[in-house]
Amino acid sequence: MDTAAVLARYDREMREGARPDGPGARVERSAGVVRQVAPAHGWNGVLWSGLDADTDVDEVIAEQIARYAALGHAFEWKLYGHDGPAGLGERLRAAGFVPEGEETLLVAETAAIAPDAGPPAGVCVRAVGDAVGVDLVVEVHERAFGTDGSRLRRDLLERLAADPDSLVAVVALAGDAPVSAARMELVPGTSFAGLWGGGTVAGWRGRGLYRALVAHRARVAADRGFSYLQVDATSRSRPILRRLGFVPLTTTTPFVYAG
């Protein structure tokens, strides 16, 4: 893979050319910045910036703070490792942003993911398309990550109602018990399918469920004409994804401004 070319394509299609990620969201472009404005329960933040040494960076940062303050929303500046100018992260800190954990942007060609990575015996993988299935996904999310899933539930239900072709959600069941779940976001007209939310409940980890759900989504993405899978990977998922053939393009760090 020509990683430099793929990264440039990712920046062009998924960041600079970003589209709203859900109902009620809109993308705004101004002062060398692309940002999403969404309802309070949605994702609000800066997706891309084309800043350089000649830019008044502090002024641009202040403009973003003022824009979201007018809406009464906290927001995130998603800073990628290759974004300029040098020292942008420090400027965001100085303006009151708080960085969260760094992740790695990994990409794989959909056709390169092993198609035979199925779930372990006694487990079946089902597509999610209604409120009952969404509840199963949310149950896995809450048990696997120990966080409240009410925002995820609302987001999935809204997306399935408004644009079901843009979302693929799957749940792995051991009998009637949900033990693993994940989702994939598909943006028409782009080359990248985004993998999100892969989680497995305690007691079922290490049995190949994460790998099986990646393979399942890769097959769906390939069938729908997407060339690449993209993941913002944590230190926990990164080794598994590297073994599956994903390669790192850059890092990404969410800088959060709560006001």
Side-chain angles (χ1 to χ4, degrees), residues 13-234:
E13 294 183 4
M14 305 301 291
R15 301 180 65 207
E16 189 174 6
R19 304 170 194 190
D21 72 356
R26 65 183 182 276
V27 170
E28 300 177 346
R29 294 172 170 84
S30 66
V33 165
V34 176
R35 61 179 174 253
Q36 176 167 289
V37 171
H41 66 275
W43 187 85
N44 284 272
V46 174
L47 294 155
W48 176 86
S49 61
L51 312 181
D52 56 32
D54 296 326
T55 304
D56 188 336
V57 175
D58 294 331
E59 180 179 343
V60 173
I61 292 172
E63 288 174 357
Q64 310 317 307
I65 292 173
R67 176 69 181 114
Y68 287 102
L71 298 169
H73 293 344
F75 73 104
E76 172 186 317
W77 188 304
K78 193 166 186 178
L79 182 65
Y80 288 75
H82 61 292
D83 288 345
L88 179 54
E90 286 72 19
R91 306 286 275 276
L92 291 170
R93 283 179 187 265
F97 288 79
V98 177
E100 296 187 343
E102 181 182 274
E103 297 181 329
T104 303
L105 174 63
L106 299 176
V107 168
E109 295 179 350
T110 53
I113 301 299
D116 57 346
V123 176
C124 65
V125 176
R126 293 184 183 174
V128 169
D130 57 19
V132 174
V134 167
D135 284 342
L136 294 174
V137 171
V138 171
E139 179 180 339
V140 170
H141 178 89
E142 292 182 333
R143 292 172 61 194
F145 301 113
T147 56
D148 178 71
S150 56
R151 181 173 175 176
L152 175 62
R153 178 183 287 106
R154 180 172 179 175
D155 182 57
L156 293 179
L157 289 173
E158 286 186 350
R159 291 191 183 202
L160 286 172
D163 190 6
D165 290 338
S166 70
L167 175 69
V168 174
V170 292
V171 61
L173 298 169
D176 295 327
V179 294
S180 189
R183 63 190 190 276
M184 177 169 65
E185 297 178 4
L186 305 170
V187 182
T190 70
S191 309
F192 299 86
L195 304 187
W196 301 95
T200 301
V201 303
W204 282 90
R205 294 168 186 159
R207 304 193 193 186
L209 284 168
Y210 185 89
R211 177 188 178 98
L213 294 188
V214 170
H216 178 93
R217 288 175 288 170
R219 290 192 293 271
V220 174
D223 288 345
R224 297 194 187 183
F226 289 84
S227 301
Y228 301 99
L229 299 175
Q230 166 260 317
V231 189
D232 288 349
T234 64

